[in-house]
Amino acid sequence: MGLASPNPQVGCILTRTPVGGGAPMVIGEGAHLYANRDHAEIVALKQAAQRGFSTTGATAYVTLEPCSHHGRTGPCADALIAAGISRCVVATQDPNPQVSGQGLAKLRAAGIEVVVGLLQQQARDLNDAFAHFIQHRTPFVTLKAALSVDGKARTPASLPLPQPAPLAHRPRRPLRGPTPPPRRRRSPHRHRHCPRRRSTTNRPQWPLRTQ
């Protein structure tokens, strides 16, 4: 999550029914990461080619409408048309009002069956931040609030609000105990590892100097 920013988060799965019939099998899948440039559809097409599968007549399942404009990469709608897919299932249209619906129109014009709306709400929830920014040019803000253990933001209106100020500004010294006496400073001229010389009775007494 978030690795596609500032682009939308998009995933794509390509399926194809075997020549002899049977259940469709996944031949390629991909997701868009902004640092890797390639959109999800391109990643899925490349994976199918690497695995040796033909995409002719395949079905593409995409969380967002394939793009139809040139940006850092070419249009994904053109790539799907060139790959020869026969059906494209899209969860939701592109929220960008300048290009919304154009990718779908390209696919339909190429004779590809297009289905829109599968898991639509889940796909929109996935890209709420992108949709809000692309439409309003403002960030999608999530509320950050301090809550109590039981999930309350404040007391009921019928109860008075607590007054934390007196408690917060109460002198803290009584809670810490009496002030300790100041520490004696060690003489800077004596190394801390040298023992102090003490007077003893065995110490020789030097006579006083006389004139």
Side-chain angles (χ1 to χ4, degrees):
M1 297 289 288
L3 297 179
S5 179
N7 290 347
Q9 300 177 85
V10 182
C12 175
I13 294 179
L14 297 174
T15 65
R16 190 168 183 268
T17 303
V19 178
M25 60 181 296
V26 176
I27 61 175
E29 54 187 350
H32 172 57
L33 303 179
Y34 186 78
N36 294 346
R37 288 182 177 266
D38 284 343
H39 289 186
E41 297 90 331
I42 307 303
V43 176
L45 291 173
K46 286 183 176 180
Q47 186 184 95
Q50 291 172 357
R51 296 172 64 184
F53 290 109
S54 171
T55 55
T56 302
T59 297
Y61 295 87
V62 195
T63 55
L64 192 68
E65 173 186 354
C67 63
S68 58
H69 60 283
H70 288 268
R72 295 199 308 165
T73 62
C76 293
D78 291 350
L80 292 175
I81 294 171
I85 68 169
S86 61
R87 187 166 177 257
C88 186
V89 180
V90 180
T92 185
Q93 287 188 220
D94 193 325
N96 187 347
Q98 297 181 353
V99 297
S100 180
Q102 295 181 15
L104 303 179
K106 267 193 173 184
L107 295 175
R108 290 190 176 106
I112 297 174
E113 178 188 356
V114 177
V115 179
V116 181
L118 178 66
L119 300 177
Q120 185 178 71
Q121 191 56 51
Q122 290 89 328
R124 289 181 175 178
D125 293 342
L126 188 65
N127 285 304
D128 268 346
F130 170 78
H132 180 86
F133 176 78
I134 205 69
Q135 294 173 3
H136 305 285
R137 296 297 173 180
T138 58
F140 186 74
V141 179
T142 301
L143 174 66
K144 183 177 181 180
L147 303 177
S148 60
V149 177
D150 57 353
K152 302 298 190 298
R154 56 157 294 170
T155 57
S158 59
L159 298 178
L161 292 176
Q163 301 295 328
L167 179 62
H169 298 290
R170 187 172 59 184
R172 301 170 185 165
R173 181 56 60 189
L175 301 177
R176 297 179 180 176
T179 304
R183 298 179 59 184
R184 295 182 60 185
R185 299 183 60 184
R186 189 182 297 274
S187 172
H189 303 292
R190 187 175 67 250
H191 195 276
R192 62 178 183 173
H193 297 296
C194 295
R196 178 178 293 180
R197 300 179 63 183
R198 299 179 180 276
S199 174
T200 63
T201 55
N202 296 330
R203 185 177 180 183
Q205 300 295 322
W206 291 91
L208 297 177
R209 178 178 295 183
T210 57
Q211 296 295 334

